[in-house]
Coordinates of all heavy atoms in Angstrom, one line a residue:
F6 N -0.6 13.9 3.5 CA -1.8 14.5 4.0 C -1.5 15.9 4.4 O -0.4 16.1 5.0 CB -2.3 13.6 5.2 CG -3.5 14.3 5.9 CD1 -4.8 14.2 5.4 CD2 -3.3 15.1 7.0 CE1 -5.9 14.8 6.0 CE2 -4.4 15.7 7.6 CZ -5.7 15.5 7.1
F45 N -13.6 18.6 -4.0 CA -14.4 19.5 -4.8 C -15.2 18.7 -5.9 O -16.3 19.1 -6.3 CB -13.5 20.5 -5.5 CG -12.8 21.5 -4.5 CD1 -11.6 22.0 -4.8 CD2 -13.4 21.8 -3.3 CE1 -11.0 22.9 -3.9 CE2 -12.9 22.6 -2.4 CZ -11.6 23.2 -2.7
I63 N 0.2 13.4 -5.4 CA -1.2 13.5 -5.6 C -2.0 12.2 -5.4 O -1.6 11.1 -5.8 CB -1.5 14.1 -7.1 CG1 -2.8 14.7 -7.2 CG2 -1.3 13.1 -8.1 CD1 -2.9 15.8 -8.2
S93 N 4.4 30.4 9.8 CA 4.4 29.1 9.1 C 4.8 29.3 7.6 O 5.4 28.4 7.0 CB 3.1 28.4 9.3 OG 2.0 29.1 8.7
Q104 N 14.1 22.7 -1.5 CA 13.7 21.7 -2.6 C 14.2 22.1 -4.0 O 14.5 21.3 -4.8 CB 12.2 21.5 -2.6 CG 11.6 21.0 -1.3 CD 12.2 19.7 -0.9 OE1 12.1 18.7 -1.6 NE2 12.7 19.6 0.3
L139 N -6.7 33.1 -1.1 CA -7.3 32.6 -2.3 C -7.5 33.8 -3.2 O -8.2 34.8 -2.9 CB -8.7 32.0 -2.0 CG -9.3 31.2 -3.2 CD1 -10.2 30.1 -2.7 CD2 -10.0 32.1 -4.1

Side-chain angles (χ1 to χ4, degrees):
F6 172 83
F45 298 151
I63 201 153
S93 63
Q104 301 298 304
L139 190 153

